[in-house]
Amino acid sequence: LGLLVTKVKEKYVEKIANSLCDGMKSSSEQLRDISSIGLKTVIADIAFQSQLAVLLCKLIVSRLLSVIPTAQDPSVQLEALDILGDILKKYGGLLSDHHSSVQQCLILQMTNSRLAVRKRATIALGQLVICNSSSLFTELMRHLITELNQNRSLSTTRTYVQCVATISRQAGHRIGNYVDTLMPLLFTFSMQQDDDEFKDYCLQALESLVLRCPKEATPYVMKIVEICLQYLKYDPNYNYDSDEDEDMEGEDDIDEDDDDDQGDYSDDDDVSWKVRRAASRCINAVIRSRPELLHEFYRHVSPTLISRFKEREENVKSDIFAAYVSLLRQTRTLATVETRVDAMDEDGIVTTNQSSTLIKDDKSPNSMLQGQIPSIVKALHKLLRDKSIKTRQGCFSVLSEVCLVLYGSLNSHMASVMPGIVYSLSDKSSTSNMKIDTLLFLQCVLTHHEAEVFYPHIDVLVPLVIDKVSDMFYKVVSEALFVLQQLIKIMRPLDGNKPIVTRYDMHARNIYRSTVSRLETADIDQEVKERAIMCMGHLICNMGDILEAELKSCLPILVSRLRNDSTRLCTVKAITTIANSPLNLNLTLILPEGIQLLSSFLRKNSRALKLSSLTALNVLIRKFGLVMNNQLCVDVFSEIPLLINESDLHVSQLALELITTLIQINPNSFMKHRENILREVLLLLKSPLLQGGALNALQGFLCGTIKNSIPNMSPNDVLQMLTHPIYNPESQAQGSLAIHKQAFYSIAKCVAGIITESSDLCSTVVQKLIGDLESASSSVSVRMFTLLALGEIGRILNMSAFQNLKSVITSAFSSLSEEIKSAASFALGNIAAGNLAEYLPFIFKEIESESKKQYLLLHSLKEIIVCQSSHSAAVQSLAPYVSTIWNLLFQSCEKAGGEGIRNMVAECLGKLTILDPENLLPDLHNHLASSSSFVRCTVVNSVKFAISEQHHQVDLKLKQYMGDFLRSLEDADPNVRRVALVTLNSAAHNKPSLIKDMLDVILPSLYDKTIIRKDMIREVEMGPFKHTVDDGLDIRKAAFECMYTLLDTCLDKLDIFQFLNYVEEGLKDHYDIKVALAVKQEFEKQNELKRSALRALTSLMKIPDSDKSLQLSEFLQQINSNPAISSMFETIKNDESGSGSFIHTEFK
């Protein structure tokens, strides 16, 4: 029938529909069922938005509306309502002419004497409110509210409450206008009625309103929490005190207690569990939608949830676990935001394991959770050995989240948790899912606690996990192998600072036997293959010295896995792990074949395989290169040239590091491919993208060729190769640079590295560079290079022997070329960093006397500060000059100068403050009181440069003064206000902990800066024209940028609805056309704004059932009616589709 209606003519489809509708009214139950199924099939198979769909649906709806009120048989009404609901769900938007009559029909059925009919009518109404008009929706809500107020009978009022919940779930924000009316009614009904199902419906309605109308529900949240907490404990037919008495007697008899499990208690008439379930789900909804109330939840909600872990009904208990998991996930989200940028060690490296233990204060959610850990463990201890698998899975999910939030949270409770793990792993009745969940929890525990915590339990855990490696289900085997990896590292850590498990050798052989059995099996799941390979890699790495006999049979298996396309990547990683082992294992058995296979992988397209193979080759050649023959080295060299290019700097870096290692091991093998490699290296050196690790690797390669005396690679030869593109450019337009600007810096750094390697050349090379700089015939490119090279050399070596160097460099400050002036500034600063005693007084004198060169001299001073900040010894050498620099900077700031000079002063002040916060930060704070707006602006700006991404001792001191610095948001000078906003943005992005506690004070001021101020708008006459200038535009831009950052890093501190109000106002703001030349730029901005709005629309279209939104459909019609915007929209949709995003087909 479904296929038939899509093939025959329309008149026959109508005939089919009419016949089926007639069959719905038949006295034959069999015919009614067949007709009902037929109608549902027809509705499901008609194409959406076709003319036939519109015609047919209108016909069927008209017939159904005549059947529903008049049918004598309730089953006919039920089927008709079911079909009506299906039509409204799929084609509701096409039936706008019938919405009014459908709504009236359904409202009448809300008072039907049969409960099932009322429920079907409620479901159909839920589908209708997605697409009906605002007037009909208002009419429906008024009717429901009137009926709820009248409360004529318990049965009908219960139905109306259920209807409110359904409408809320389906209509979402549309019901928001009625929340203030509905909430008091729901509170009253939930507390006064004795009917448990009625309470259940009320709580469901509250849950839906909290999720769908969060803004409107805000004033009622705490009252909802209060009601939910009361009903969470609502169990009038059961006494929990007896269970608590049993717990007090001791837990040695737990196995006997299981025979009298609480879950065996049941009473068919007791439906109070529905109330508790609804309360737990409502609490869950509140927790998920209100992260800003996390403190309150830990204070009031968390203890009650923990106490209810003893719930006797399994389904309710699962919902309570889910609610607590939501609470923990909200805490983890907050902890991630706080520690993502704050939790860094002294070297600026994020300490992942430790970051989640950072507890800011006693009132933070983390600290409150820490205090409740004993209660959680006590409540779950007995449940971890419960007969119910679902209960144990819930316990593990809660404890896993606890571990993820707080590193080491179970350190002192492992003895209470471990019996539950052992029970689930050893229980013969455990399902595969139970085993997997247990192993996943064990992984989580092992990775979020220190190794010493597990030493008492190793002898019990290892045999149990090994047993699971033999399980029949592949997923259990995979997770067991991964747990074994963790246990291996715990039993015998290789860092030398941690103790070793005494019987690790016995466990090592047992682990080996179980793992190698999986490693040798070819016909197993891919995931198991990879986990077995990695587990074996870690086993050999950590315990290979006691498995020497086994290595002879195991290593060839790993080589065979290298030949398999599906396992080669993880095998390469495993071999790298083994080769890196400090146990210095003998891998010569697999070396020739292994090197050949790894070299061949460098030709593959897989980037991950290339990277892993390069790393593996580097490690193997560094450790075993001396026993490799020349041909192997030549083969490796032959694969490298194609890997050196700017398209992938990481691959290039590893390739250059591998070449450097090969040259050290076997210099002669380099000669065969010397030309090919050098061609690619020199090409890469000229790339504008070269920087960081790749540049360091290239410099290391060049120095390596000199150090290992490679033929035709003497220091002079290499220098000539490097400088050839600069001194002998292939083609150069007048006034342009010979190569890209960044390449000058790269070549200069390499030249400095070579001079360092060959110090006897220093004097000659420097004299030549000075001569080229002074020569009038030297091009801009040559002079720029000589300055950068002198700077790089001077930073490493003392240049005091060259007396004329100061005058030569400072004379370059007068050049007409901005590139030369910038290079001279860089050179002076770096040379001074290598000889502070001679050059700093000279720079001080120049700054005081040369106002025209002040910016360049300050830039040199910044280079000195940056260079001297690299390590503690350099900081100490700069210390005697800090006071002089500090005073000089403030003098420069107070002089009449451009904004560029003040920005440079601010950067120097900020970077100096980091070096000595105890003495300099208070003085910086004192300058906030300066009468000069220039000084205040510079001081506030300098704070931005004192806020670094790395953890530093300045942070604690800076937090004390941050409030005063940010009071500049209210400064009388608009430039100071703008800079204060930029500083606030920097703090919010890099160190949100500096400002979080004061956001309550800052946010009103920040929001105020987003408002258009008429007093900052002025008219400027330009001849016969008047031009409007908005002096507050930059301030508003900075304010909105700051709000965007706060949304990412301080979400828990924001009132999101107040926040959105200002965002909404900002969407009405506009850019003025300031000058005629800016027309195209403004046009592009406007187009980008349109594209942004359309991208937002495509995101909205991905929301399930968004195609049923009347407003969204009308908006799409407006877009499609405008050819220009429609074309832009199609392009964006195609881009979205190309990236794999899903958009409802009805919208396409």
Side-chain angles (χ1 to χ4, degrees):
L1 191 59
L3 290 172
L4 181 63
V5 295
T6 61
K7 305 294 183 183
V8 299
K9 294 181 180 179
E10 286 186 11
K11 62 179 182 178
Y12 295 116
V13 176
E14 289 182 43
K15 194 170 182 179
I16 292 170
N18 276 318
S19 298
L20 293 172
C21 289
D22 290 338
M24 287 285 296
K25 295 191 278 187
S26 171
S27 57
S28 168
E29 183 179 352
Q30 187 175 9
L31 182 57
R32 289 201 306 269
D33 290 344
I34 292 171
S35 300
S36 173
I37 294 169
L39 279 172
K40 289 179 180 177
T41 305
V42 169
I43 292 163
D45 290 346
I46 300 174
F48 183 78
Q49 284 189 338
S50 65
Q51 285 297 113
L52 179 61
V54 177
L55 183 67
L56 199 58
C57 287
K58 287 182 177 180
L59 171 65
I60 295 173
V61 168
S62 299
R63 297 293 302 272
L64 291 176
L65 291 179
S66 65
V67 170
I68 293 171
T70 59
Q72 300 297 316
D73 190 337
S75 62
V76 175
Q77 287 181 307
L78 292 173
E79 289 295 338
L81 287 167
D82 222 5
I83 294 167
L84 182 59
D86 289 346
I87 292 175
L88 291 171
K89 182 176 182 180
K90 188 172 182 181
Y91 307 104
L94 307 177
L95 301 169
S96 56
D97 295 343
H98 288 71
H99 284 174
S100 179
S101 54
V102 169
Q103 183 166 298
Q104 289 302 319
C105 177
L106 293 174
I107 287 174
L108 288 174
Q109 297 310 308
M110 298 289 286
T111 56
N112 194 291
S113 58
R114 296 187 65 89
L115 176 62
V117 173
R118 298 202 300 270
K119 284 188 175 179
R120 297 285 174 89
T122 298
I123 293 169
L125 269 176
Q127 300 300 334
L128 177 64
V129 296
I130 296 174
C131 52
N132 67 353
S133 65
S134 298
S135 59
L136 282 176
F137 185 79
T138 302
E139 181 184 328
L140 172 61
M141 290 306 303
R142 285 176 179 170
H143 173 76
L144 290 177
I145 291 169
T146 300
E147 292 296 327
L148 287 172
N149 278 315
Q150 291 178 354
N151 191 17
R152 294 173 182 173
S153 70
L154 177 64
S155 178
T156 55
T157 304
R158 188 163 56 189
T159 300
Y160 288 126
V161 169
Q162 191 176 18
C163 186
V164 167
T166 302
I167 291 172
S168 173
R169 280 191 289 270
Q170 298 294 342
H173 69 282
R174 296 185 74 183
I175 204 172
N177 294 332
Y178 305 95
V179 168
D180 289 337
T181 308
L182 290 170
M183 281 294 187
L185 290 169
L186 293 173
F187 292 156
T188 303
F189 292 146
S190 64
M191 300 304 293
Q192 289 181 355
Q193 298 292 343
D194 293 331
D195 186 283
D196 286 346
E197 288 201 3
F198 197 7
K199 293 174 182 175
D200 176 27
Y201 293 155
C202 289
L203 289 168
Q204 286 184 40
L206 291 173
E207 175 195 356
S208 182
L209 289 171
V210 164
L211 288 174
R212 301 297 183 182
C213 308
K215 180 179 180 180
E216 293 80 2
T218 299
Y220 307 99
V221 167
M222 295 315 295
K223 178 66 175 176
I224 294 171
V225 169
E226 180 186 337
I227 293 172
C228 290
L229 292 181
Q230 179 179 337
Y231 282 131
L232 203 60
K233 299 178 283 188
Y234 175 73
D235 198 353
N237 300 316
Y238 194 79
N239 181 13
Y240 288 92
D241 292 338
S242 60
D243 293 333
E244 293 175 6
D245 294 339
E246 289 175 15
D247 292 341
M248 293 297 290
E249 291 173 7
E251 295 174 352
D252 296 332
D253 304 326
I254 183 129
D255 295 330
E256 288 81 359
D257 292 344
D258 285 344
D259 296 333
D260 301 319
D261 192 270
Q262 302 164 6
D264 293 339
Y265 174 89
S266 64
D267 185 350
D268 293 338
D269 297 327
D270 180 19
V271 291
S272 63
W273 64 271
K274 291 185 178 181
V275 180
R276 299 194 299 278
R277 181 187 63 182
S280 62
R281 290 179 177 178
C282 189
I283 279 284
N284 195 343
V286 173
I287 291 170
R288 285 187 286 121
S289 61
R290 297 288 166 177
E292 72 275 9
L293 297 177
L294 209 51
H295 296 81
E296 293 298 317
F297 293 153
Y298 269 106
R299 187 175 292 110
H300 302 296
V301 178
S302 178
T304 304
L305 287 174
I306 293 170
S307 70
R308 292 306 304 165
F309 288 167
K310 63 187 177 184
E311 168 64 46
R312 61 189 175 92
E313 285 290 339
E314 188 172 82
N315 289 331
V316 181
K317 189 184 295 182
S318 295
D319 285 323
I320 292 171
F321 284 150
Y324 204 82
V325 167
S326 295
L327 179 62
L328 293 168
R329 285 177 180 165
Q330 290 283 28
T331 313
R332 179 149 58 100
T333 302
L334 172 63
T336 302
V337 170
E338 284 185 346
T339 60
R340 180 175 54 207
V341 288
D342 288 346
M344 308 248 181
D345 65 13
E346 292 180 358
D347 297 321
I349 301 170
V350 177
T351 52
T352 309
N353 286 347
Q354 316 302 331
S355 66
S356 54
T357 64
L358 295 177
I359 298 173
K360 307 296 181 184
D361 55 65
D362 293 339
K363 295 181 181 179
S364 71
N366 277 24
S367 63
M368 296 172 78
L369 172 61
Q370 184 75 62
Q372 294 174 9
I373 295 293
S375 301
I376 296 172
V377 174
K378 183 180 178 182
L380 297 179
H381 174 54
K382 185 178 178 181
L383 297 177
L384 283 168
R385 288 181 285 174
D386 195 274
K387 286 182 179 178
S388 167
I389 288 175
K390 194 173 181 181
T391 296
R392 279 185 273 155
Q393 287 175 322
C395 294
F396 286 141
S397 67
V398 170
L399 290 173
S400 295
E401 287 296 330
V402 169
C403 293
L404 292 172
V405 175
L406 292 175
Y407 182 84
S409 54
L410 301 178
N411 279 341
S412 55
H413 306 284
M414 202 57 69
S416 299
V417 174
M418 200 55 67
I421 297 174
V422 172
Y423 177 79
S424 289
L425 288 177
S426 57
D427 183 15
K428 301 299 181 184
S429 63
S430 288
T431 63
S432 293
N433 284 339
M434 184 71 252
K435 295 173 187 174
I436 292 168
D437 286 344
T438 308
L439 290 167
L440 287 171
F441 171 62
L442 187 52
Q443 289 173 28
C444 183
V445 172
L446 291 171
T447 53
H448 287 81
H449 292 79
E450 295 299 326
E452 293 84 351
V453 178
F454 303 100
Y455 289 164
H457 311 285
I458 287 292
D459 290 341
V460 178
L461 281 177
V462 173
L464 287 172
V465 179
I466 288 175
D467 180 62
K468 296 299 167 283
V469 176
S470 306
D471 197 90
M472 298 295 292
F473 186 44
Y474 82 94
K475 192 68 178 175
V476 175
V477 178
S478 172
E479 300 304 337
L481 286 166
F482 191 75
V483 170
L484 283 179
Q485 285 185 47
Q486 310 300 323
L487 290 171
I488 288 165
K489 290 184 277 188
I490 286 172
M491 285 190 285
R492 194 188 187 189
L494 296 176
D495 58 8
N497 298 322
K498 296 180 180 178
I500 298 173
V501 175
T502 52
R503 300 170 60 195
Y504 76 90
D505 53 341
M506 179 192 70
H507 294 307
R509 291 186 173 86
N510 292 334
I511 293 172
Y512 175 83
R513 283 191 288 272
S514 65
T515 306
V516 81
S517 66
R518 290 293 180 179
L519 195 62
E520 291 173 334
T521 308
D523 55 342
I524 55 175
D525 186 83
Q526 177 68 18
E527 187 177 344
V528 176
K529 289 180 184 177
E530 293 180 358
R531 288 279 172 87
I533 290 167
M534 293 307 299
C535 184
M536 185 59 76
H538 283 281
L539 179 64
I540 296 173
C541 173
N542 288 57
M543 304 181 183
D545 54 339
I546 60 171
L547 296 170
E548 289 184 5
E550 288 84 352
L551 290 183
K552 294 178 182 178
S553 59
C554 176
L555 291 176
I557 298 175
L558 289 177
V559 173
S560 69
R561 294 292 175 265
L562 276 177
R563 300 191 200 98
N564 190 310
D565 288 354
S566 62
T567 56
R568 61 190 180 190
L569 178 58
C570 65
T571 308
V572 171
K573 293 178 180 178
I575 289 175
T576 306
T577 302
I578 294 169
N580 268 321
S581 172
L583 301 177
N584 295 320
L585 304 170
N586 185 2
L587 303 182
T588 52
L589 177 66
I590 63 167
L591 205 59
E593 188 175 2
I595 294 290
Q596 287 178 349
L597 287 168
L598 290 169
S599 300
S600 68
F601 294 161
L602 300 180
R603 296 193 295 269
K604 303 297 182 184
N605 290 329
S606 169
R607 181 175 184 270
L609 185 62
K610 284 180 188 175
L611 292 172
S612 298
S613 300
L614 285 167
T615 304
L617 283 167
N618 201 354
V619 175
L620 287 169
I621 293 171
R622 190 170 63 246
K623 284 203 169 187
F624 305 101
L626 294 176
V627 298
M628 287 171 55
N629 59 52
N630 285 342
Q631 189 56 45
L632 271 180
C633 293
V634 171
D635 291 344
V636 175
F637 268 123
S638 67
E639 305 293 345
I640 292 178
L642 293 177
L643 301 178
I644 304 172
N645 58 72
E646 67 177 8
S647 63
D648 195 327
L649 289 180
H650 192 190
V651 170
S652 299
Q653 176 184 338
L654 294 180
L656 289 165
E657 290 172 354
L658 177 57
I659 296 174
T660 307
T661 302
L662 278 165
I663 289 173
Q664 292 172 356
I665 298 296
N666 194 331
N668 295 329
S669 61
F670 172 70
M671 293 307 299
K672 187 173 182 180
H673 299 280
R674 174 183 176 277
E675 297 303 322
N676 291 336
I677 291 173
L678 284 178
R679 182 180 64 251
E680 299 300 331
V681 166
L682 294 174
L683 196 61
L684 178 63
L685 190 61
K686 292 189 283 185
S687 168
L689 305 176
L690 184 63
Q691 59 181 326
L695 177 56
N696 292 334
L698 193 151
Q699 184 187 33
F701 157 70
L702 293 172
C703 293
T705 58
I706 295 170
K707 188 185 297 184
N708 291 280
S709 304
I710 299 295
N712 299 323
M713 293 291 286
S714 67
N716 283 321
D717 293 332
V718 175
L719 287 172
Q720 188 173 359
M721 277 192 301
L722 293 177
T723 57
H724 180 79
I726 298 170
Y727 284 87
N728 303 284
E730 295 176 1
S731 61
Q732 182 180 353
Q734 187 174 2
S736 66
L737 298 175
I739 52 178
H740 192 277
K741 183 178 178 180
Q742 177 60 36
F744 285 96
Y745 288 87
S746 302
I747 295 173
K749 184 169 183 178
C750 291
V751 167
I754 293 166
I755 297 301
T756 306
E757 195 67 40
S758 309
S759 54
D760 54 321
L761 283 177
C762 179
S763 179
T764 305
V765 171
V766 171
Q767 288 290 4
K768 183 180 185 308
L769 290 172
I770 294 174
D772 292 339
L773 180 58
E774 290 180 305
S775 172
S777 61
S778 293
S779 65
V780 171
S781 295
V782 170
R783 297 182 69 199
M784 179 180 173
F785 164 71
T786 56
L787 285 164
L788 294 175
L790 287 169
E792 291 287 353
I793 296 169
R795 181 159 50 87
I796 303 168
L797 303 174
N798 190 324
M799 305 275 275
S800 57
F802 307 97
Q803 295 298 323
N804 63 333
L805 193 54
K806 297 190 195 75
S807 59
V808 170
I809 291 176
T810 52
S811 64
F813 284 176
S814 303
S815 171
L816 297 176
S817 168
E818 290 297 323
E819 284 81 6
I820 290 178
K821 288 194 282 189
S822 176
S825 177
F826 172 86
L828 182 60
N830 280 269
I831 292 170
N835 189 354
L836 293 176
E838 181 173 342
Y839 278 84
L840 260 182
F842 170 73
I843 292 175
F844 293 160
K845 183 179 177 182
E846 290 290 310
I847 290 175
E848 290 174 348
S849 60
E850 293 284 353
S851 58
K852 292 182 180 180
K853 302 176 183 177
Q854 194 172 43
Y855 179 84
L856 295 170
L857 292 164
L858 287 168
H859 191 278
S860 298
L861 194 57
K862 187 203 78 172
E863 289 290 338
I864 296 170
I865 297 169
V866 171
C867 290
Q868 298 305 107
S869 303
S870 57
H871 52 89
S872 57
V875 172
Q876 290 299 320
S877 64
L878 183 65
Y881 306 97
V882 167
S883 178
T884 307
I885 296 173
W886 188 262
N887 295 329
L888 188 63
L889 288 171
F890 274 109
Q891 290 172 19
S892 301
C893 167
E894 291 171 357
K895 292 178 182 177
E899 187 175 356
I901 290 177
R902 291 196 296 276
N903 283 338
M904 188 58 65
V905 169
E907 188 170 356
C908 292
L909 287 171
K911 293 185 181 302
L912 267 182
T913 302
I914 294 175
L915 301 184
D916 187 11
E918 289 294 330
N919 296 315
L920 299 182
L921 198 55
D923 191 59
L924 192 68
H925 174 260
N926 292 337
H927 278 85
L928 275 176
S930 171
S931 58
S932 168
S933 62
F934 289 161
V935 173
R936 297 197 305 276
C937 187
T938 305
V939 167
V940 176
N941 198 14
S942 68
V943 176
K944 175 182 71 176
F945 296 103
I947 302 170
S948 62
E949 292 184 2
Q950 288 78 27
H951 178 69
H952 201 279
Q953 60 178 349
V954 73
D955 298 341
L956 293 175
K957 195 76 177 173
L958 191 57
K959 190 171 184 178
Q960 300 174 21
Y961 295 104
M962 203 66 192
D964 292 337
F965 286 124
L966 293 179
R967 284 197 187 95
S968 300
L969 288 169
E970 302 300 330
D971 195 279
D973 188 274
N975 283 327
V976 179
R977 296 200 297 272
R978 178 184 58 80
V979 169
L981 286 166
V982 174
T983 300
L984 175 60
N985 193 16
S986 177
H989 179 73
N990 295 305
K991 292 280 173 62
S993 60
L994 292 176
I995 58 156
K996 268 198 170 186
D997 294 340
M998 55 189 78
L999 276 181
D1000 291 343
V1001 178
I1002 295 171
L1003 284 175
S1005 181
L1006 173 63
Y1007 292 150
D1008 182 60
K1009 302 300 175 291
T1010 65
I1011 299 170
I1012 298 173
R1013 290 180 53 177
K1014 293 183 179 180
D1015 60 318
M1016 297 191 72
I1017 299 175
R1018 54 192 170 88
E1019 282 191 350
V1020 178
E1021 292 188 0
M1022 301 178 68
F1025 304 104
K1026 289 184 178 180
H1027 179 62
T1028 302
V1029 177
D1030 186 351
D1031 293 326
L1033 182 61
D1034 288 338
I1035 293 177
R1036 295 201 302 280
K1037 280 184 185 177
F1040 280 117
E1041 287 172 6
C1042 194
M1043 286 173 64
Y1044 180 80
T1045 304
L1046 289 172
L1047 194 63
D1048 184 44
T1049 60
C1050 301
L1051 178 61
D1052 59 303
K1053 295 290 185 181
L1054 300 177
D1055 180 340
I1056 198 66
F1057 305 113
Q1058 182 188 23
F1059 184 93
L1060 287 173
N1061 287 337
Y1062 289 97
V1063 172
E1064 185 178 352
E1065 289 300 314
L1067 292 173
K1068 301 171 187 175
D1069 204 342
H1070 63 277
Y1071 294 94
D1072 291 323
I1073 299 175
K1074 299 178 181 177
V1075 287
L1077 293 175
V1079 171
K1080 183 178 179 181
Q1081 180 186 8
E1082 294 299 324
F1083 179 75
E1084 285 300 320
K1085 286 179 179 178
Q1086 187 64 30
N1087 273 345
E1088 182 54 38
L1089 193 59
K1090 291 177 184 175
R1091 284 190 286 268
S1092 298
L1094 292 172
R1095 281 192 289 268
L1097 181 60
T1098 60
S1099 297
L1100 290 174
M1101 290 163 59
K1102 297 171 194 172
I1103 298 172
D1105 294 332
S1106 56
D1107 52 300
K1108 300 186 179 72
S1109 169
L1110 188 62
Q1111 291 88 341
L1112 192 58
S1113 298
E1114 291 173 353
F1115 186 36
L1116 285 169
Q1117 289 174 7
Q1118 292 177 19
I1119 288 173
N1120 292 330
S1121 65
N1122 185 315
I1125 296 179
S1126 178
S1127 173
M1128 192 183 294
F1129 189 41
E1130 286 301 319
T1131 303
I1132 288 170
K1133 281 200 295 185
N1134 292 335
D1135 291 344
E1136 292 277 345
S1137 301
S1139 64
S1141 301
F1142 171 76
I1143 299 176
H1144 280 288
T1145 53
E1146 290 82 351
F1147 279 142
K1148 285 188 175 180

